Amino acid sequence: MAEVLVLVEHVDGAPKKVTFELLTLARSLGEPSAVFIGNGYDNAKDKLAEYGAQKVYVAGDADAESYLVAPKAEVLAQVVQQAAPAAVLIPSTPEGKEVAARLAVKTESGVLTDAVGVEDGFVAKQSIFGGAINVSSKVSKGTPIITVRPNSTAPEAAPAQPSEEQVAVTLSDAAKKAKVLDRVTEKRGGRPELTEAAIVVSGGRGLGEGSNFALIEKLADSLGAAVGASRAATDAGWYPHTNQVGQTGKTVSPQLYMAIGISGAIQHRAGMQTSKTIVAVNKDPEAPIFELVDFGVVGDLFNVVPQLTDEIDKRK
Amino acid sequence: MNIVVCVKQVPDTWAEKKLSPDDKTVDRESVDGVMNELDEYAVEEALKIKEASGGEVTVLTMGPEKSVETIRKALSMGADKAVHLVDPGLHGSDALATSYALAKALGTIEHDLVILGVESTDARMSVVPAMLAERLGAAQLTFARKVEVGDGTVKIERQTDVGYDVVEAPTPAVVSVVEKINEPRYPSFKGIMAAKKKPLTTLTLADAGIESDKVGLAGSGTEVAEFAPRPPKQAGQIVKDEGDGGVKLAEFLAQQKFI
Ligand SMILES: Cc1cc2nc3c(=O)[nH]c(=O)nc-3n(C[C@H](O)[C@H](O)[C@H](O)COP(=O)(O)OP(=O)(O)OC[C@H]3O[C@@H](n4cnc5c(N)ncnc54)[C@H](O)[C@@H]3O)c2cc1C
Ligand SMILES: Nc1ncnc2c1ncn2[C@@H]1O[C@H](COP(=O)(O)O)[C@@H](O)[C@H]1O
């Protein structure tokens, strides 16, 4: 069976959940090989084996931390050249998409982004125009490069004993132009990351003021969820921009999305419409968000949300 | 600092967007076009840099004839001149082909900086800026929420999942901007009048030295195999809060095994 490369997304070596999702997906399409770029491989090794990698390409000294995106694309292109894989799967995160973009140019290959599934023959399932149309697309040139949204596949362990191959890299000067001087982490609680979370609870203008986001956080914590916000809420400074969901924020596709005091503007929908289950609380029965919901409550969030949080705590 | 801003005309966000059944490309004829919203921020940032440090701002658009509307808007905002890459052979170009064509067109315009929006609202791929950087061999400074221009260098704050990265590079560089970066200006009446007299160069494939087999549907690296409107979602259950809305919602979540 042909090799399918999976780019490992990791923090100091610890792979993110989406990596296991992609390894699981790759297994249904061919023989999964992981490509690990950067420092901390020791933290990844066992997990990659647990999720079925047959082979791991390790580029430890790629200096991927010091320069933006380009080094990763360069390493990956080198591995593609060497392994001639059937396809390359990359997490559909902002950076993942950029790595895919550069890899596509380097290898003269077609690239498909934001897949929510990949089927036999590397047919990517995408949802476009804010979820209005479902598309099946294929790469017709070079090696299929497909970025896949987090939460598209349920990760399943399938222990393997991967072989390891060290990839020696000499970065080109072109890859070392955009130098990262500093990485700044802004306020962040112990909550799961927005794009990876199985449940997302988002608040909007209906909250009235920033301090009321405490209600959203409490509800989120009762469910182990991530917190999102509409642009109206981030623009008002009630919640950080990094938590904005929508066209100009993050695209999320969780098992459960809860929209609290959010009207459901088209730009907001663009970032959450592929969520599996959607619920909303809004006092306006005409709010467009209700067109999307599986369950909606027409009511004042200041009554409904605290009651909901209590009820969830009671049922634990 | 000479700046090229890449601006795309897209179907209006509020219009119902369609794919044409025959060649499965975005139907751009039947709907109103507008400037890609994020590109307004790119134009604004270019104008701000020019106002602070001089140079010229050129708008670059690839798209059918009617994209001229969008070019005019950018010129009315204050850009100095425009280049419109327009050729029937470009129809159906995907990101790989588009980035190739734009890179070729950029070859005809002197520039230190290329500024783009982070994403187009129709394609929503967010790949063209990185592809352009790769093709031009220029530094990639993308997802900028702040841009600082120095002497032969550019420094940005790159928006990330957890905060931001400070990234610096020598020019020439390709910058893409997020919408937090500025507040795009509205064209003034004076600006609209002035725009009519600003130079607009039209380029065909041949003018830009673009190989015709690398663009259009045939030159693209991807193809749409099938598409269908999303099956209508089953109408959800909507309840009015009679003092027990929270409990009812909890019951639904329990049924669905979320709690
Ligand atoms: C270029 C561009 C990009 C954009 N990108 C994004 C984006 O990425 N993400 C995004 O979210 N938006 C985006 N927008 C903005 C979008 O158009 C909307 O303005 C925004 O989503 C509205 O946020 P909201 O739903 O919180 O506020 P509103 O539309 O004001 O809705 C508030 C809702 O709360 C309800 N409400 C009020 N009080 C209560 C209460 N006590 N109890 C219950 N319900 C209550 C109201 O009935 C109303 O439906 C973008 C716009 C543009 C032009
Ligand atoms: N046809 C085009 N003409 C000019 N600029 C474009 C074109 N297509 C994409 N762009 C630029 O690339 C950015 C990202 O687009 P995309 O990768 O398609 O999401 C846009 O915001 C534009 O600045």
Side-chain angles (χ1 to χ4, degrees):
Chain A
M1 257 204 299
E3 233 176 308
V4 176
L5 298 185
V6 169
L7 178 63
V8 176
E9 181 145 317
H10 64 92
V11 178
D12 300 325
K16 291 201 184 173
K17 189 172 110 221
V18 65
T19 303
F20 309 136
E21 296 170 6
L22 294 199
L23 285 171
T24 306
L25 182 60
R27 211 187 309 140
S28 72
L29 299 163
E31 204 164 279
S33 293
V35 182
F36 184 96
I37 304 173
N39 301 321
Y41 174 60
D42 283 347
N43 298 327
K45 204 175 158 146
D46 294 346
K47 282 286 189 186
L48 297 178
E50 184 184 336
Y51 283 90
Q54 298 291 322
K55 190 168 184 180
V56 186
Y57 296 90
V58 186
D61 52 357
D63 224 356
E65 277 78 21
S66 317
Y67 305 98
L68 207 62
V69 181
K72 287 189 182 159
E74 213 161 277
V75 173
L76 208 46
Q78 197 176 318
V79 178
V80 168
Q81 212 107 70
Q82 187 183 324
V88 184
L89 304 182
I90 298 175
S92 212
T93 56
E95 187 180 283
K97 291 210 266 184
E98 294 189 326
V99 173
R102 300 190 71 122
L103 178 66
V105 171
K106 281 178 191 294
T107 60
E108 281 194 65
S109 300
V111 59
L112 296 164
T113 63
D114 298 282
V116 291
V118 182
E119 295 176 352
D120 260 359
F122 301 103
V123 174
K125 300 281 176 189
Q126 297 161 304
S127 157
I128 62 167
F129 300 158
I133 299 183
N134 290 335
V135 177
S136 302
S137 308
K138 271 167 62 171
V139 166
S140 50
K141 198 185 223 176
T143 307
I145 300 169
I146 304 175
T147 76
V148 183
R149 281 200 187 151
N151 285 324
S152 298
T153 312
E156 280 166 35
Q161 270 111 34
S163 58
E164 257 170 48
E165 190 165 325
Q166 299 295 325
V167 182
V169 271
T170 343
L171 288 184
S172 71
D173 288 342
K176 294 196 279 193
K177 284 191 169 154
K179 197 165 173 35
V180 178
L181 304 180
D182 196 9
R183 292 188 194 271
V184 181
T185 303
E186 290 177 324
K187 183 194 132 193
R188 178 155 184 236
R191 298 190 181 88
E193 200 176 299
L194 201 47
T195 48
E196 293 228 317
I199 303 180
V200 174
V201 182
S202 289
R205 186 161 13 225
L207 284 161
E209 56 184 284
S211 57
N212 291 335
F213 254 88
L215 286 176
I216 300 291
E217 293 184 331
K218 254 181 100 179
L219 173 56
D221 291 344
S222 74
L223 291 162
V227 174
S230 73
R231 176 158 169 202
T234 59
D235 272 354
W238 299 350
Y239 223 69
H241 177 65
T242 40
N243 295 66
Q244 182 175 314
V245 172
Q247 184 182 296
T248 46
K250 299 217 164 104
T251 300
V252 300
S253 199
Q255 301 299 321
L256 171 65
Y257 187 84
M258 307 182 78
I260 312 289
I262 291 178
S263 62
I266 195 160
Q267 294 94 345
H268 188 77
R269 291 173 176 215
M272 45 68 73
Q273 197 146 13
T274 55
S275 305
K276 312 286 178 307
T277 300
I278 299 172
V279 306
V281 179
N282 196 304
K283 67 179 182 192
D284 174 9
E286 304 293 319
I289 191 77
F290 285 126
E291 292 163 18
L292 294 184
V293 299
D294 298 284
F295 194 91
V297 180
V298 178
D300 191 328
L301 70 90
F302 294 102
N303 298 327
V304 177
V305 172
Q307 188 181 67
L308 171 61
T309 312
D310 279 353
E311 189 66 24
I312 293 170
D313 287 339
K314 257 193 254 166
R315 285 170 187 249
K316 269 185 191 158
Chain B
M1 183 127 328
N2 290 322
I3 306 172
V4 177
V5 197
C6 293
V7 173
K8 183 182 187 185
Q9 175 150 317
V10 297
D12 191 346
T13 314
W14 304 100
E16 191 193 337
K17 284 173 278 214
K18 294 196 206 103
L19 293 179
S20 28
D22 32 332
D23 68 357
K24 306 187 182 102
T25 61
V26 178
D27 181 353
R28 299 183 188 280
E29 288 309 314
S30 71
V31 292
D32 282 344
V34 294
M35 184 190 298
N36 179 36
E37 285 149 336
L38 277 157
D39 298 349
E40 294 184 20
Y41 299 84
V43 174
E44 177 65 34
E45 199 58 25
L47 295 174
K48 280 171 76 175
I49 294 170
K50 174 195 151 156
E51 282 154 13
S53 53
E56 238 186 357
V57 175
T58 308
V59 181
L60 171 60
T61 295
M62 160 178 150
E65 270 81 17
K66 80 189 247 200
S67 318
V68 170
E69 303 155 8
T70 284
I71 294 178
R72 290 268 174 241
K73 174 160 185 191
L75 292 173
S76 327
M77 287 172 76
D80 299 295
K81 56 190 176 72
V83 174
H84 186 187
L85 180 58
V86 49
D87 195 295
L90 291 165
H91 173 79
S93 297
D94 70 351
L96 192 67
T98 300
S99 65
Y100 162 71
L102 288 175
K104 281 292 193 182
L106 278 163
T108 71
I109 316 167
E110 202 195 311
H111 63 268
D112 308 293
L113 269 191
V114 183
I115 308 186
L116 303 92
V118 102
E119 158 177 305
S120 57
T121 56
D122 55 347
R124 295 210 65 210
M125 290 188 73
S126 241
V127 293
V128 168
M131 284 182 166
L132 264 188
E134 175 73 38
R135 290 198 184 273
L136 298 169
Q140 176 189 327
L141 297 173
T142 45
F143 286 85
R145 61 175 211 185
K146 186 172 171 197
V147 177
E148 262 174 71
V149 171
D151 191 14
T153 61
V154 184
K155 191 152 94 179
I156 66 154
E157 283 182 15
R158 171 182 166 90
Q159 183 83 53
T160 63
D161 267 353
V162 296
Y164 64 94
D165 292 347
V166 181
V167 190
E168 189 176 53
T171 55
V174 175
V175 173
S176 76
V177 301
V178 300
E179 113 286 2
K180 287 279 129 119
I181 196 165
N182 58 39
E183 202 49 66
R185 65 194 69 184
Y186 289 102
S188 65
F189 179 70
K190 221 176 107 201
I192 293 169
M193 295 315 286
K196 297 188 172 142
K197 298 194 206 77
K198 289 180 176 169
L200 193 168
T201 312
T202 302
L203 294 183
T204 61
L205 295 187
D207 296 335
I210 293 169
E211 292 169 45
S212 60
D213 60 350
K214 286 195 176 170
V215 292
L217 275 173
S220 292
T222 51
E223 62 191 32
V224 173
E226 280 177 6
F227 69 90
R230 188 171 69 159
K233 194 162 178 154
Q234 266 198 333
Q237 189 186 350
I238 296 186
V239 301
K240 196 169 168 334
D241 179 28
E242 312 275 7
D244 59 353
V247 174
K248 289 219 168 109
L249 184 45
E251 277 163 10
F252 172 80
L253 296 181
Q255 249 171 42
Q256 302 291 317
K257 310 241 178 325
F258 289 116
I259 48 179

